[in-house]
């Protein structure tokens, strides 16, 4: 029988570590559905005001006494980029063209409120043409 060889010591187990957890910064509660609706409504009013500021009554429509309301569906990205605009109902062509031009002239649009928590939002905006 061969003489017993001394055994190597087993590697030492790693020392236990204690994880420290940093406290979380307090976060604001998510807005309620009513608050989000109010924010969307405020943005829609702002959008309407921007479009109205860029609206030009077509001269031929004025000469012919043409009045009407053009209702548009406007899709806005979170960063304010205009994604799409289209009429929701038939409208006189000159008034429709003027409405679309007013929307384009209003760009870039302001960003959507972050509290809406949306990448995009759809708005319906009525552009009214009335001879006074």
């Amino acid at each position: 029988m061969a003489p017993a060889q001394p055994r190597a010591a087993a590697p030492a187990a790693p020392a236990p570590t204690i994880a420290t957890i940093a406290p979380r910064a307090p976060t604001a509660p998510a807005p309620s559905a009513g608050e989000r609706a109010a924010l969307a409504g405020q943005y829609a009013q702002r959008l309407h005001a921007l479009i109205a500021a860029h609206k030009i009554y077509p001269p031929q429509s004025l000469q012919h006494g043409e009045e009407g309301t053009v209702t548009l569906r406007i899709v806005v990205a979170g960063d304010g980029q205009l994604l799409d605009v289209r009429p929701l109902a038939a409208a006189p062509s000159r008034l429709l063209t003027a409405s679309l031009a007013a929307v384009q002239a209003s760009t870039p649009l302001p960003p959507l409120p972050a509290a809406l928590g949306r990448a995009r939002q759809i708005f319906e905006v009525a552009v009214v043409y009335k001879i006074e």
Side-chain angles (χ1 to χ4, degrees), residues 7-131:
R7 290 189 177 188
T17 58
I18 299 173
T20 57
I21 300 173
R24 288 188 179 183
T27 57
S32 68
E35 291 168 329
R36 285 191 306 273
L39 286 171
Q42 291 168 2
Y43 187 92
Q45 289 175 345
R46 191 172 176 194
L47 184 59
H48 187 272
L50 280 170
I51 294 167
H54 291 93
K55 177 179 83 172
I56 298 172
Y57 213 122
Q60 287 184 325
S61 294
L62 281 171
Q63 291 170 354
H64 293 97
E66 188 174 52
E67 298 181 331
T69 299
V70 178
T71 305
L72 301 172
R73 175 187 179 268
I74 300 173
V75 183
V76 180
D79 64 358
Q81 179 184 0
L82 178 64
L83 297 177
D84 188 42
V85 59
R86 64 184 63 198
L88 288 178
S93 66
R94 286 187 291 259
L95 299 183
L96 174 58
T97 300
S99 298
L100 296 173
V103 172
Q104 290 296 329
S106 300
T107 60
L109 299 170
L112 295 174
L116 280 178
R118 297 201 173 181
R120 66 184 196 140
Q121 179 76 32
I122 300 171
F123 297 94
E124 288 185 19
V125 176
V127 185
V128 179
Y129 294 87
K130 182 157 177 66
I131 300 170

